[in-house]
Amino acid sequence: MAKRDREAFRSAIGRQNLAPLWDVLDALVTPEPRSACRPALWRYQEVRPALMESGALISAKEAVRRVLVLENPGMPGQSRITTSLYAGLQLILPGEVAPAHRHTQSALRFVIEGEGAYTAVSGEKTLMREGDFVITPSWAWHDHGNESDRPMVWMDGLDIPLVQFLDASFAENYPEDRHPLERREGDSLARYGSGLLPLDHQPAGASSPVFNYPYARTREALETMRRGEEWDPCHGLKLRYVNPENGDFAMPTMGTFMQLLPKGFAGADYRSSDAMVFNVVEGKGRTRIGDEVFDWAARDVFVVPSWHHHRHEADEDAVLFSFSDRPVQQKLGLWREDRGNR
Ligand code: 1HN
């Protein structure tokens, strides 16, 4: 058949909302992930001035959330750090309140700078410190406030692109700035996060009932475990945050991890089908992603796209927080990893 015939056919059937699969098949079903997501690094020292400048431009209340979105350079304007996930840096200044609202998107906070600001989730307040991992489950009321005398910055991670893809976004504002408190501070951690559960506890939601995983405890676990010298060739010593009810990931759509790379660590090559967002908590080192080298230090954020070969190196003891859509991929039977053969 002549090329012209095929073109005429394509435009004729287009009027009936039909299209030939043979034009698009190769792009739809690729032999390996072909992502628009690119490797990227944000150095905290370089972005902090802009973040502080935003503090003078708009209040947390007016902005609702004063955030600079971490936009993946391969997907500008799409408010995403990976294909499926959103991330941003949120600033809250002393005396400010970010008003209460809720939405179906799940959020995680990873505290980068400051101490003593709070987030209140479903009627319980938690004071935040650097390195704390805090959860806002889907549809939970939440507001933030800073009653300390220093600015506080955290990284937000949300499943916004995933929820958008599913057309499942719902949101509402609370009529007042703050949602009323219903439990004492620290109640959830004591009740669910101490290796114990109340006798009559019935799992209620898809997220962990613990909503602040304090860094002090995480760091101590890593420090104690390192004495065993059981280093994973790719990951050093890597732990996964869990829901104590069932051992699943702490959140249904985002997996979260913390790892220790000892001084001098030179990791083996690794790749997985979940793009990973890393936040450096301590130390200095670099990650080689494909042919690129990303030198990082404490508080920096970097991204490894899906199925990109990478390896970590540490010049001093380093601690990395990370998150990805792994729970979703694993529940759908899609997740793959590949441990070094390069
Ligand atoms: C949100 O609710 C927060 O609660 C942060 O701090 C970032 C980005 C998009 C939509 C909702 C927060 C957000 C967000």
Side-chain angles (χ1 to χ4, degrees):
M1 197 161 44
K3 190 163 175 249
R4 220 180 41 243
D5 294 338
R6 290 189 180 177
E7 276 165 21
F9 176 74
R10 186 181 302 116
S11 53
I13 68 170
R15 289 189 283 277
Q16 295 169 271
N17 302 320
L18 296 168
L21 175 62
W22 56 85
D23 282 353
V24 291
L25 184 56
D26 284 352
L28 291 178
V29 181
T30 60
E32 292 193 347
R34 213 177 275 167
S35 181
C37 180
R38 292 217 303 256
L41 165 76
W42 292 263
R43 288 198 176 86
Y44 191 66
Q45 218 184 309
E46 290 170 11
V47 299
R48 192 181 185 278
L51 197 56
M52 293 305 148
E53 204 178 323
S54 78
L57 280 178
I58 190 165
S59 68
K61 187 157 178 171
E62 193 194 343
V64 181
R65 299 294 185 260
R66 189 202 290 109
V67 178
L68 298 186
V69 178
L70 298 165
E71 285 203 316
N72 190 280
M75 299 175 285
Q78 296 185 42
S79 303
R80 53 184 81 190
I81 189 159
T82 70
T83 307
S84 62
L85 299 174
Y86 159 103
L89 298 178
Q90 179 159 175
L91 168 67
I92 184 155
L93 295 170
E96 287 193 315
V97 171
H101 68 188
R102 62 178 177 176
H103 37 72
T104 48
Q105 292 82 357
S106 298
L108 66 83
R109 327 279 168 203
F110 189 74
V111 182
I112 294 180
E113 179 186 338
E115 179 169 336
Y118 69 85
T119 184
V121 178
S122 306
E124 185 179 332
K125 198 167 162 174
T126 188
L127 290 174
M128 296 184 282
R129 292 179 183 80
E130 288 174 14
D132 289 359
F133 158 56
V134 179
I135 297 174
T136 306
S138 175
W139 210 238
W141 291 111
H142 56 285
D143 50 86
H144 319 300
N146 187 347
E147 291 164 354
S148 80
D149 55 7
R150 287 195 283 159
M152 184 167 218
V153 178
W154 62 74
M155 177 178 69
D156 293 308
L158 287 92
D159 52 10
I160 291 173
L162 199 58
V163 173
Q164 187 176 42
F165 180 73
L166 299 170
D167 276 337
S169 174
F170 296 89
E172 62 185 5
N173 294 321
Y174 195 72
E176 289 148 49
D177 278 356
R178 298 181 186 199
H179 185 273
L181 296 174
E182 291 157 3
R183 281 179 305 285
R184 276 186 292 276
E185 198 191 322
D187 187 83
S188 299
L189 191 60
R191 208 175 279 264
Y192 312 112
S194 309
L196 301 159
L197 288 176
L199 213 51
D200 58 355
H201 178 69
Q202 297 294 332
S207 272
S208 170
V210 178
F211 75 107
N212 187 348
Y213 292 73
Y215 185 55
R217 287 198 187 180
T218 309
R219 190 68 183 85
E220 194 188 337
L222 290 170
E223 207 51 43
T224 303
M225 283 182 70
R226 77 180 301 168
R227 293 180 208 144
E229 296 277 344
E230 300 158 58
W231 304 107
D232 178 281
C234 304
H235 307 302
L237 172 54
K238 187 166 182 175
L239 304 176
R240 174 169 77 81
Y241 288 91
V242 297
N243 179 340
E245 290 169 340
N246 53 22
D248 203 345
F249 288 101
M251 308 179 72
T253 51
M254 293 184 282
T256 49
F257 309 86
M258 192 74 96
Q259 74 198 96
L260 173 69
L261 307 175
K263 180 177 174 166
F265 183 77
D269 184 71
Y270 182 79
R271 60 180 174 168
S272 61
S273 57
D274 54 330
M276 301 280 322
V277 179
F278 288 90
N279 194 293
V280 184
V281 194
E282 297 178 28
K284 278 191 175 60
R286 70 199 56 75
T287 299
R288 301 178 190 275
I289 311 175
D291 299 329
E292 294 177 87
V293 184
F294 295 89
D295 283 290
W296 40 253
R299 297 173 166 164
D300 294 351
V301 179
F302 64 95
V303 181
V304 181
S306 164
W307 213 238
H308 279 49
H309 287 280
H310 63 283
R311 47 201 164 93
H312 303 301
E313 296 171 6
D315 300 335
E316 28 184 90
D317 278 0
V319 180
L320 306 178
F321 172 81
S322 55
F323 73 101
S324 79
D325 62 14
R326 190 171 306 181
V328 179
Q329 292 203 28
Q330 289 189 336
K331 286 202 171 61
L332 301 179
L334 296 171
W335 186 74
R336 290 194 190 195
E337 66 178 340
D338 176 9
R339 288 175 151 268
N341 44 18
R342 230 168 56 131

